[in-house]
Amino acid sequence: MQFNKVLDDVKIYEAGKPIELVVREYGVDAKDIIKLASNENPYGTSPKVTKKVQEIAKNMFMYPDDSMFELKEALANKFKVESSNIIMGSGSDQILEFAIHAKCDKNSKLLMSNVTFAMYEIYGKQTGATIIRTEDDEHNLDQFRKLYKEHKPDMVFLCLPNNPLGECLDTKDVYEFLEEIDEKTLVVVDGAYHEYAAFKDEKKKIVVDELISKFPNVIYLGTFSKAYALGGMRVGYGIAKKEIIQNLYKLRPPFNITTLSLAAAVEALKDEEFVVDCIRKNFEQMKRYEEYAKTKGFSFIESYTNFIAIKFDKMYNSSEVAQNLLQEGIIVRDLTSYKVNAIRITIGSDEQNTKVLKVLDEVLKKLK
Amino acid sequence: MQFNKVLDDVKIYEAGKPIELVVREYGVDAKDIIKLASNENPYGTSPKVTKKVQEIAKNMFMYPDDSMFELKEALANKFKVESSNIIMGSGSDQILEFAIHAKCDKNSKLLMSNVTFAMYEIYGKQTGATIIRTEDDEHNLDQFRKLYKEHKPDMVFLCLPNNPLGECLDTKDVYEFLEEIDEKTLVVVDGAYHEYAAFKDEKKKIVVDELISKFPNVIYLGTFSKAYALGGMRVGYGIAKKEIIQNLYKLRPPFNITTLSLAAAVEALKDEEFVVDCIRKNFEQMKRYEEYAKTKGFSFIESYTNFIAIKFDKMYNSSEVAQNLLQEGIIVRDLTSYKVNAIRITIGSDEQNTKVLKVLDEVLKKLK
């Protein structure tokens, strides 16, 4: 049977290995596995959110409120925008899908950093669009500028901070760049990890209502999967001017957020204290990895996220390191598929990091 | 900003009004509202499923197993197929999206019954495809045959049983029809309500492994939203030969089923007794609506689902009836948007139906 030709060139996203798979494949006991591969919040779901979901679990038979009234109101309030500036997605991923599918076809061009979130390319290729990447792995706005002028892309992607590397542009520089972009070009400012960057460094902080009022061609993406500790519930959002949101809405399937996910997200927004506490601990713990990398002579990218990318340069092969960690029940992300000889480790809890650093050290000694 | 031209012609799906909206708009107390508009299971979620989800609610911070190993194994076992014959979606809706987007573009044609599930057209129009409908509202295979020969559509949709009308073709007739369809044409057999039809009448029963082995161009869709009472959790599936599934997989976003939804669906499959009990009660209660329609002289379509479409012919205006019911806190689906002067009522619980029939009678007397 013939399917659309564009699919021939689409590759499938490779998710971080789930614990269940490591149990099945390596026979490691589930309770001994440490998964630091998908940038989940290691402090777990806020107990208040868990309690709320337990209370309403019996409502699973009921479709969610498809207008998402309560959650959109809460977000509108948080970001000082209108509900009509917001579209909800099954993760911010789905907003990428809406935006790219609404804007692109096989004649389109997408501009992004050389190493950045894999789904930009995957959704792009689903439309048959051409992917244009900077030479540098990390965001380099001069290279973005040059390629922008050369190719006049339909969409530009800024991942602030960047997954899977962790760096983050200064907001001032982002604004200067956005001034030079034509209004016809849709710019995605992907803030999936933005809460971390804004906490660590005021210069990275993006004020969303200011962003979308200054730049009517920008859509800001946020998620509940990271700092809000709801990765399993698939709730993300896009914020932009109404005209953009209305067009994206045409691609939104009904009921794209589950009944329990809506309630969990509303509750999570009420517990900002939990979020700030998680972020604070994240950066405290991150220092341990930075110290370790320094003692070993590995370079690492200063991270504004809840993960750190440690580069092995010519000293080790990242796939080998990741594979050896896996056999010990530690799941990290090998960045070989991004053509970077590095592993990306989610910053775990104190206890997790102690074990990971110990096992990593053993593995590296073994591979020496 | 310019978006894809095809979006100009896309209309947005109108979901059944949620209880929250009726509370907000009509000031009716939430506990007094009866929602029989979205064909949810009125007997609620199986207590075993609720208990399971409460137990694992604390895992919401973790991404779901993106391979969906356990759920796919359970479904493969139930339907006597391989895991590789299955793709999971956020509702069977999302499988429609994958199939239509994988197969169609602006040169494509989709053939369907005149009144059938609205999303076939909506996803079709997202690709710019042309929609071809039979003259009859209910599925008429002779008309399907004629239009098939005339237009050679890329996709054919059979909704068995049909939402929003309720009728269901005999499997024998479906098989005869499928014999005449070219293998290049992808046929969707939408079994969202199939558990009901198969229970009521053996002649309607589709054996999925037989269907897909006889017809390599067919994809069968099923859902946990109806008989399995998990409408709010967004879990559906497509079953087809591997080649079709692999192509649809290219459009599947990662983590498209939530962590709690996966567990809920696995648990729901273990409690088939609950499902059968709900279906049995459904058809017992449906008789009350049939009796009522008969006494009033309304025609209705014999239903193989968990809803009934009552036609008012020239006696009443269905929008007026639905609006008046709404003011009394009873939400049903007006079929005016389908150009049918009828209301679709989900068969509720004994207590719900008693109230609905009483209020409906009062409303009709008032509108007389």
Side-chain angles (χ1 to χ4, degrees):
Chain A
M1 180 173 301
Q2 195 60 54
F3 288 92
N4 285 335
K5 282 259 170 295
V6 291
L7 294 188
D8 297 348
D9 200 28
V10 172
K11 60 176 187 188
I12 291 171
Y13 178 78
E14 196 192 329
K17 283 193 202 300
I19 288 174
E20 298 88 332
L21 188 132
V22 180
V23 172
R24 289 194 302 274
E25 289 191 1
Y26 297 92
V28 183
D29 199 321
K31 69 169 173 34
D32 295 332
I33 293 175
I34 296 181
K35 183 188 171 203
L36 296 175
S38 301
N39 306 333
E40 290 147 332
N41 189 322
Y43 305 103
T45 311
S46 150
K48 289 177 188 166
V49 176
T50 302
K51 185 165 169 282
K52 177 72 185 181
V53 166
Q54 286 168 335
E55 278 166 19
I56 63 155
K58 63 182 187 311
N59 295 342
M60 288 186 285
F61 71 103
M62 283 175 66
Y63 281 100
D65 170 7
D66 199 42
S67 75
M68 308 189 196
F69 180 83
E70 202 182 348
L71 179 55
K72 282 169 74 175
E73 285 291 306
L75 282 170
N77 192 45
K78 175 180 164 75
F79 288 108
K80 300 184 180 60
V81 296
E82 303 291 319
S83 273
S84 56
N85 295 120
I86 302 175
I87 183 167
M88 302 303 306
S90 175
S92 50
D93 236 75
Q94 198 180 28
I95 314 293
L96 288 169
E97 185 187 356
F98 298 156
I100 295 169
H101 282 241
K103 184 73 183 161
C104 301
D105 61 23
K106 65 181 166 32
N107 302 311
S108 304
K109 291 174 185 172
L110 310 187
L111 174 58
M112 63 193 70
S113 198
N114 193 35
V115 174
T116 192
F117 187 42
M119 294 309 298
Y120 308 155
E121 169 167 346
I122 293 176
Y123 290 125
K125 290 216 167 158
Q126 287 176 3
T127 72
T130 303
I131 311 299
I132 296 157
R133 293 179 180 281
T134 58
E135 202 181 303
D136 283 7
D137 289 350
E138 298 171 46
H139 284 62
N140 177 326
L141 285 177
D142 287 335
Q143 292 179 7
F144 268 86
R145 278 187 183 88
K146 189 173 158 286
L147 292 168
Y148 172 75
K149 281 174 196 145
E150 191 180 332
H151 295 283
K152 292 284 169 196
D154 302 84
M155 289 183 74
V156 177
F157 295 83
L158 299 175
C159 195
L160 305 174
N162 188 24
N163 176 21
L165 297 181
E167 93 279 5
C168 193
L169 294 169
D170 283 1
T171 304
K172 178 177 68 59
D173 298 332
V174 172
Y175 276 21
E176 270 175 34
F177 171 72
L178 291 174
E179 296 283 1
E180 299 165 42
I181 304 300
D182 193 286
E183 284 200 14
K184 288 186 303 190
T185 303
L186 180 59
V187 181
V188 172
V189 171
D190 185 344
Y193 298 86
H194 194 72
E195 291 87 354
Y196 295 95
F199 177 95
K200 184 173 182 175
D201 187 346
E202 184 72 22
K203 290 200 298 293
K204 312 296 183 185
K205 188 176 178 175
I206 285 174
V207 178
V208 177
D209 60 330
E210 181 186 85
L211 176 76
I212 67 162
S213 69
K214 260 186 199 291
F215 306 106
N217 57 330
V218 169
I219 182 163
Y220 176 87
L221 307 191
T223 185
F224 285 86
S225 297
K226 309 298 173 185
Y228 287 86
L230 289 173
M233 297 308 276
R234 318 305 299 123
V235 190
Y237 49 89
I239 303 180
K241 72 168 185 168
K242 221 183 281 189
E243 187 214 321
I244 294 176
I245 297 299
Q246 280 166 347
N247 274 285
L248 269 50
Y249 244 92
K250 293 186 176 181
L251 293 179
R252 189 190 68 91
F255 311 121
N256 60 327
I257 314 280
T258 80
T259 299
L260 300 190
S261 303
L262 281 178
V266 168
E267 205 62 25
L269 283 176
K270 294 180 191 161
D271 196 6
E272 295 280 358
E273 204 182 322
F274 170 85
V275 174
V276 172
D277 191 50
C278 292
I279 296 176
R280 190 182 46 72
K281 286 190 276 196
N282 171 69
F283 286 115
E284 277 168 21
Q285 290 293 319
M286 190 183 284
K287 287 185 197 137
R288 301 175 64 186
Y289 288 94
E290 294 174 345
E291 289 305 321
Y292 181 75
K294 281 177 197 163
T295 63
K296 296 298 262 188
F298 301 143
S299 61
F300 62 89
I301 297 162
E302 181 169 7
S303 172
Y304 294 85
T305 66
N306 66 345
F307 58 81
I308 187 164
I310 297 177
K311 294 179 174 182
F312 295 122
D313 302 311
K314 294 205 157 69
M315 292 185 267
Y316 294 91
N317 174 301
S318 64
S319 299
E320 253 183 315
V321 175
Q323 186 59 34
N324 275 273
L325 287 172
L326 199 56
Q327 280 161 10
E328 301 297 324
I330 293 170
I331 321 174
V332 301
R333 184 65 80 99
D334 172 26
L335 297 186
T336 300
S337 64
Y338 291 88
K339 299 192 181 70
V340 183
N341 184 29
I343 55 171
R344 188 194 69 184
I345 307 178
T346 306
I347 309 303
S349 64
D350 186 25
E351 190 190 353
Q352 288 176 322
N353 298 330
T354 300
K355 179 161 177 203
V356 169
L357 285 164
K358 179 173 168 286
V359 175
L360 177 61
D361 204 54
E362 288 163 10
V363 162
L364 292 176
K365 276 177 186 144
K366 191 181 109 186
L367 292 175
K368 191 100 191 174
Chain B
M1 179 172 301
Q2 196 60 54
F3 288 92
N4 284 335
K5 281 260 171 294
V6 290
L7 294 188
D8 298 348
D9 200 27
V10 172
K11 60 175 187 187
I12 292 172
Y13 178 78
E14 196 193 327
K17 283 192 201 304
I19 287 174
E20 297 88 332
L21 187 132
V22 179
V23 171
R24 290 194 302 275
E25 289 192 0
Y26 297 93
V28 184
D29 198 322
K31 70 169 174 32
D32 295 332
I33 293 175
I34 295 180
K35 182 188 171 203
L36 296 175
S38 300
N39 306 334
E40 291 147 331
N41 189 322
Y43 305 105
T45 311
S46 149
K48 288 176 189 166
V49 176
T50 301
K51 185 165 168 283
K52 178 72 185 182
V53 166
Q54 285 167 335
E55 278 166 21
I56 63 156
K58 63 183 185 311
N59 295 341
M60 287 186 286
F61 71 103
M62 285 175 66
Y63 281 100
D65 171 7
D66 199 42
S67 75
M68 307 189 197
F69 180 81
E70 202 182 347
L71 178 54
K72 281 168 75 175
E73 284 290 307
L75 281 170
N77 192 46
K78 175 181 164 75
F79 287 108
K80 300 183 180 61
V81 297
E82 302 292 318
S83 273
S84 56
N85 295 121
I86 301 175
I87 183 167
M88 301 302 308
S90 175
S92 49
D93 237 75
Q94 197 180 28
I95 314 293
L96 287 170
E97 186 186 355
F98 298 155
I100 295 169
H101 282 240
K103 185 73 184 161
C104 300
D105 61 23
K106 64 180 167 34
N107 302 311
S108 305
K109 290 174 186 173
L110 309 186
L111 173 58
M112 63 193 70
S113 198
N114 192 36
V115 174
T116 192
F117 187 42
M119 294 309 297
Y120 307 155
E121 168 166 346
I122 293 176
Y123 291 125
K125 290 216 166 158
Q126 288 177 2
T127 71
T130 303
I131 311 300
I132 297 159
R133 294 179 181 279
T134 58
E135 201 182 303
D136 282 7
D137 289 348
E138 297 171 46
H139 284 61
N140 177 326
L141 285 177
D142 288 334
Q143 292 179 7
F144 268 87
R145 278 187 182 89
K146 189 171 158 287
L147 291 167
Y148 172 74
K149 280 174 198 148
E150 190 180 330
H151 295 282
K152 291 285 170 197
D154 301 85
M155 290 184 73
V156 176
F157 295 83
L158 299 176
C159 195
L160 304 174
N162 188 25
N163 175 21
L165 297 181
E167 91 279 4
C168 192
L169 293 169
D170 284 1
T171 303
K172 179 177 67 61
D173 298 333
V174 171
Y175 277 21
E176 270 175 34
F177 171 71
L178 291 175
E179 295 284 0
E180 299 165 42
I181 305 300
D182 193 286
E183 283 199 15
K184 289 187 303 191
T185 303
L186 180 59
V187 181
V188 172
V189 170
D190 185 346
Y193 297 86
H194 193 71
E195 291 87 353
Y196 294 95
F199 177 94
K200 184 172 180 173
D201 186 346
E202 184 70 24
K203 290 200 299 294
K204 313 294 183 187
K205 188 174 179 177
I206 286 174
V207 178
V208 175
D209 60 329
E210 182 187 85
L211 176 76
I212 67 163
S213 69
K214 259 185 200 290
F215 306 105
N217 58 329
V218 168
I219 182 163
Y220 177 87
L221 306 190
T223 185
F224 285 85
S225 298
K226 308 299 174 185
Y228 287 86
L230 288 173
M233 297 307 278
R234 318 306 299 125
V235 190
Y237 49 89
I239 304 180
K241 72 168 182 166
K242 221 184 280 188
E243 187 216 322
I244 293 176
I245 296 300
Q246 280 166 346
N247 275 284
L248 269 50
Y249 244 91
K250 293 186 176 180
L251 293 179
R252 188 190 70 91
F255 311 122
N256 61 327
I257 313 279
T258 80
T259 298
L260 300 191
S261 303
L262 281 178
V266 168
E267 205 61 26
L269 283 176
K270 294 180 190 161
D271 196 6
E272 294 280 357
E273 204 182 321
F274 170 84
V275 174
V276 172
D277 191 50
C278 291
I279 297 176
R280 190 182 47 72
K281 285 191 274 193
N282 171 70
F283 286 116
E284 277 168 20
Q285 290 292 319
M286 190 183 286
K287 286 183 198 140
R288 301 175 64 186
Y289 287 94
E290 295 174 346
E291 289 304 321
Y292 181 75
K294 280 178 197 162
T295 62
K296 297 298 262 190
F298 301 145
S299 60
F300 62 89
I301 297 161
E302 181 168 8
S303 171
Y304 293 85
T305 67
N306 67 344
F307 58 80
I308 187 165
I310 297 177
K311 295 180 173 180
F312 295 122
D313 301 312
K314 296 207 156 69
M315 292 186 267
Y316 293 92
N317 174 301
S318 65
S319 299
E320 252 183 316
V321 174
Q323 187 58 35
N324 274 272
L325 287 171
L326 198 56
Q327 281 161 7
E328 303 296 324
I330 292 170
I331 321 175
V332 301
R333 184 63 80 97
D334 172 25
L335 297 185
T336 300
S337 64
Y338 291 88
K339 300 192 182 71
V340 182
N341 183 30
I343 56 173
R344 187 193 71 184
I345 307 179
T346 306
I347 308 302
S349 65
D350 186 23
E351 192 189 351
Q352 288 177 320
N353 298 330
T354 299
K355 181 162 175 201
V356 169
L357 285 165
K358 179 171 167 288
V359 175
L360 177 61
D361 203 55
E362 288 163 8
V363 162
L364 293 177
K365 275 178 185 143
K366 192 182 110 185
L367 292 175
K368 191 97 190 173

